[in-house]
Amino acid sequence: MRDKIPENTGKDVLWVTLVTLLQVPVFSRQVRISTNMVHCKRLVVVILVTAVAGAAAAQSITSSKPNSQDEKGYTAYAEFGGTANSDGQVYRLDSSVGYNFSKHFGADLGLPIYFVHASSTTGSVSNNGIGNPYLDLRLKFNNPAVNYGSVLTGFVPAADSKRGMSTGRGTFDWTNHFDRSFSRLTPFLEAGIANTIADSQVFIRPYTTLGFNSHFQGGATFDLWKFVSVGASAYDILPSGQQTVFSKVLGKSGSTGNSSHGRVFETSQQTTGSADIAKDNGYSAWIGANPNHYMDLQLGYTRSVHYALNSVSFGVGLNLGGLARRGPSQ
């Protein structure tokens, strides 16, 4: 039988998480970070400190991430994450509220906030602001043969395209997910279409795009130990027709020298051209932890082969709706 978490442990873990996040340089006006390496070390410290706190609180909790559609009713989720690479650091605070109409169908409204710190190669600008509000429609069917999920997301062009937070147009993404578990191994496949390139769980992109594309991802996750899992995947983004790329790391600073490896987002705030300027392919690897029913932790690496860009990322998510329903002692 699963042991119960001690009384008030959930609140203690939440405080540890929030205090740790407040120490990230994004939220401190008095701390100035000058190198990408220092940022990466701090990101690792954030994820490790939070993981230790969660692990101590819930040693007997199962490893699977709770499915937000398992229960009918209201949902709420908040996630803070970031990606660091040679272009700088892009942090995102994403909060959403929604409702599960059944175990198969749900919807969410969300709003991301971005904190961008560009490197010296792109002008050393700070570019903070809200992203586009979005609406998710979620569909899911579990089956012994294969599990299927589909998410249709619409983005409202409310953010500033001059800062790279928006395209200035309404955009959408429709992603279909298939997976099946074999003991502790779960292979998965994703395929979708969109008129923008959305961020992934392990890669918050330093740019936003406008233009039709199809995108694919395939990989697997493996339950390593109790609530810890690892995963790896390969992805391919295939744009078609005219594309426009809006840079987050240049903000309103205009343009700089010549781009390398086709990274037009390093040299111009807005670039319009053929499908080649937005295409991308690469692979990712990550380690995740779900120490309890309401906390998700992740540390990842992404290699963009097309852009020859290496990125390190982290994420800390809180299932506030699940915590409210279950209570900290469950």
Side-chain angles (χ1 to χ4, degrees), residues 40-113:
C40 291
K41 289 180 179 179
R42 287 176 180 262
L43 298 186
V44 172
V45 170
V46 169
I47 206 75
L48 290 179
V49 170
T50 312
V52 170
Q59 295 179 356
S60 62
I61 299 299
T62 57
S63 61
S64 61
K65 179 179 178 180
N67 184 347
S68 61
Q69 291 183 288
D70 284 346
E71 298 182 14
K72 182 178 179 180
Y74 291 99
T75 65
Y77 197 85
E79 181 178 21
F80 179 72
T83 294
N85 50 46
S86 59
D87 289 322
Q89 302 83 37
V90 182
Y91 302 94
R92 182 185 63 193
L93 177 62
D94 193 355
S95 302
S96 64
V97 293
Y99 191 84
N100 290 331
F101 299 94
S102 70
K103 65 179 181 179
H104 299 301
F105 178 69
D108 301 297
L109 286 170
L111 178 68
I113 303 175

Side-chain angles (χ1 to χ4, degrees), residues 83 85 90 92 114 116 164 197-200 203-209 235 237 248-249 278 280-281 302 307:
T83 294
N85 50 46
V90 182
R92 182 185 63 193
Y114 291 93
V116 181
I197 299 176
D199 296 328
S200 73
F203 189 17
I204 303 176
R205 291 179 166 82
Y207 59 88
T208 305
T209 70
Y235 70 90
I237 299 173
K248 290 187 177 79
V249 292
D280 191 16
N281 64 285
T302 296
Y307 291 128

